[in-house]
Amino acid sequence: MHVLSAVLLLAACKLVSAAPTPLFGIDLGEININTDGKTTDADTVPFSQDEITNTLVRPALFARVVYCSSPSVVNMTCGEQCDALPNVKILVAGGDDKRVPNFFVAHDVDTETIVVAHQGTEPANLLSDLNDLNFFQVDANTTVLPKANKDVKMHDGFADTQERTADLVLSTVRSALKSTGAKKVLVTGHSLGAAIASIDGMMLRMKLDPSIAVTTTVFGLPRVGNQAWADLVDSTLGSSFTHVTNQHDPVTQVPPQFADFQHPSNEIHITAVDPSGIIATAQRCPGQENQNCAPGNNLLDFNIDNHRGPYFQNISMANRFCPV
Ligand SMILES: *[C@@H]1O[C@H](CO)[C@@H](O)[C@H](O)[C@H]1NC(C)=O
Ligand SMILES: *[C@@H]1O[C@H](CO)[C@@H](O)[C@H](O)[C@H]1NC(C)=O
Ligand SMILES: *[C@@H]1O[C@H](CO)[C@@H](O)[C@H](O)[C@H]1NC(C)=O
C-alpha cells in the first residue's frame, strides 16, 4: 500500500510542477492523503490577537529575517526586516541558501533570549525535494537526539540538513548562554527551516541544562517524522513547541500520513487573514493531526501562497520578502 501510495503521490507531485493548483490534481480527488495515522477532532480554542502578539510575532520576525543574505544579517543591515528587530546581535550566521539553508544564532538583548533561526526554501522546490526523496525515513541520529529510541524515524533529507549545522548551533548556543547570562532559548524557522528548527529544538532541550527554557515556534512545518517522532516531541517539548499553519498551505500536509508521517501536537491554525495582512483569526488545535485544523483541509483547496503568508502583522516569509 505504501509503495502504491508513494507512486501516486509521485505522479501528483509531477503534476504540481506543471500546474500548481489544485495541488494533487483532479484525478486524485478521491484520495485522502491524511489517513492511516492517528487523528483527533477535539474542539479548537480561539487564539486571541494578544496571544498572537505575545507569543508568535517575535518568532515570525526572526523566521522572516533569516531569509535575508548572511552578510546583510551579520550587522542587521538588511533594511525593514532587520529594523523590525532592533537590539539583536548576531553571534554566528552562515549557510549557502542551498545545501545549508541560511541560519543564525543571535542574542535578542531586549528579551534576554538566545535565538536560533533557520531559512526555508521555495515551496515548489520543497515539494519537489520531498518527491525526489520519496519520503525515505532514517533512524534518528542519537548523537543529535540522545533520547530517541529505535522506533523514532525521521525524514532523511530533514535529518541530514539539520546535522550539517547541529554542532555549530549547539556550541554557539552554549557559549552564548554563558557569556550573556541569558536563561532562555527561542528556536524558529519557516518551511524547511521549520523542520530543521523542530529538530534543533529537540536537540537543545535534550542537551541543555533543564534550567534553560527552550521555546520552539515554527511556521509552515512539513511533517518531519513518524508517530514515534511526534510522540517524542510531545513528551519532550510539550507546550513549549508550537507549529503555526496558515489556512490552506499544502506544505504542512506533506509528507502524507499514509507514508507514516505524523505531526506533533500544538498546532495553531490561522483560519483567515484580513486583506491588509495584519489581523489573523487563529485557533489552538488540541491533539495531533486535529481534523478541525490544517490536517482537515480539503485536498482540492490547497493554496501555495498561504505558505509564504502573510501570517499576521503583514509578516510573509520567503526569499522574495528580503531581496537584500
Ligand atoms: C559589520 O560590522 C563590523 C564592525 O563594525 C565591520 O568590521 C564589518 O565589516 C561589518 N560587516 C558587514 C558585512 O557589513
Ligand atoms: C549524527 O550527527 C552528527 C552531527 O551532530 C554527525 O557528525 C554524525 O555524522 C551523524 N551520524 C550519523 C550516523 O549520521
Ligand atoms: C505588506 O507587506 C508587503 C510585502 O512585504 C508590502 O508590499 C505591503 O505594502 C505591506 N502592506 C501593509 C499594509 O503594510
Side-chain angles (χ1 to χ4, degrees):
M1 176 59 194
H2 282 186
V3 174
L4 173 63
S5 306
V7 169
L8 285 172
L9 201 82
L10 207 82
C13 286
K14 299 253 188 257
L15 246 166
V16 169
S17 23
T21 18
L23 183 68
F24 291 98
I26 302 293
D27 294 352
L28 300 171
E30 294 304 307
I31 296 173
N32 185 350
I33 59 166
N34 292 334
T35 53
D36 295 4
K38 190 164 95 184
T39 64
T40 177
D41 58 4
D43 287 346
T44 60
V45 180
F47 194 76
S48 71
Q49 295 305 313
D50 279 354
E51 287 176 291
I52 291 176
T53 304
N54 294 337
T55 66
L56 301 184
V57 168
R58 208 153 181 89
L61 291 173
F62 280 106
R64 178 177 71 171
V65 82
V66 73
Y67 275 99
C68 303
S69 71
S70 295
S72 76
V73 165
V74 168
N75 288 351
M76 290 299 275
T77 51
C78 64
E80 189 190 321
Q81 288 77 3
C82 285
D83 297 345
L85 288 165
N87 265 331
V88 168
K89 294 195 169 59
I90 303 292
L91 305 171
V92 161
D96 55 14
D97 201 0
K98 292 189 183 74
R99 206 170 159 272
V100 179
N102 289 347
F103 68 99
F104 62 71
V105 179
H107 181 206
D108 184 1
V109 177
D110 289 351
T111 64
E112 297 182 81
T113 304
I114 304 304
V115 180
V116 178
H118 288 279
Q119 179 196 26
T121 185
E122 275 300 309
N125 296 346
L126 183 59
L127 290 169
S128 88
D129 286 353
L130 289 170
N131 184 23
D132 293 344
L133 291 170
N134 234 342
F135 325 129
F136 196 70
Q137 291 184 339
V138 292
D139 289 346
N141 177 336
T142 50
T143 306
V144 175
L145 302 174
K147 290 180 186 158
N149 66 25
K150 278 278 170 210
D151 296 337
V152 177
K153 309 283 181 203
M154 301 170 67
H155 183 279
D156 70 340
F158 297 156
D160 268 5
T161 309
Q162 190 269 347
E163 279 167 19
R164 291 180 194 131
T165 54
D167 295 348
L168 180 58
V169 165
L170 178 62
S171 63
T172 308
V173 169
R174 278 191 166 134
S175 63
L177 288 168
K178 211 173 266 174
S179 66
T180 63
K183 298 271 182 266
K184 291 179 282 185
V185 177
L186 167 68
V187 192
T188 188
H190 167 251
S191 192
L192 170 62
I196 302 170
S198 303
I199 307 172
D200 268 12
M202 289 286 279
M203 170 182 79
L204 292 169
R205 180 64 291 159
M206 289 180 185
K207 297 204 176 208
L208 297 177
D209 190 272
S211 67
I212 304 295
V214 178
T215 302
T216 306
T217 304
V218 299
F219 303 87
L221 175 71
R223 293 191 180 95
V224 172
N226 66 354
Q227 180 71 57
W229 159 258
D231 292 345
L232 187 64
V233 173
D234 283 2
S235 62
T236 306
L237 302 183
S239 61
S240 72
F241 173 83
T242 303
H243 79 103
V244 180
T245 59
N246 186 20
Q247 300 170 86
H248 296 276
D249 173 3
V251 172
T252 65
Q253 301 311 310
V254 292
Q257 281 186 288
F258 69 60
D260 199 16
F261 283 85
Q262 179 85 2
H263 270 311
S265 301
N266 297 310
E267 175 185 356
I268 303 287
H269 184 53
I270 295 171
T271 54
V273 182
D274 80 327
S276 72
I278 293 170
I279 307 290
T281 307
Q283 59 196 22
R284 195 185 282 282
C285 314
Q288 293 177 358
E289 304 286 358
N290 191 314
Q291 299 302 299
N292 297 313
C293 294
N297 280 342
N298 187 308
L299 267 183
L300 302 178
D301 273 350
F302 281 130
N303 181 351
I304 201 85
D305 290 335
N306 289 162
H307 185 59
R308 302 184 189 99
Y311 282 77
F312 37 72
Q313 303 283 317
N314 202 30
I315 300 170
S316 294
M317 304 172 201
N319 286 344
R320 71 182 67 169
F321 298 106
C322 197
V324 198

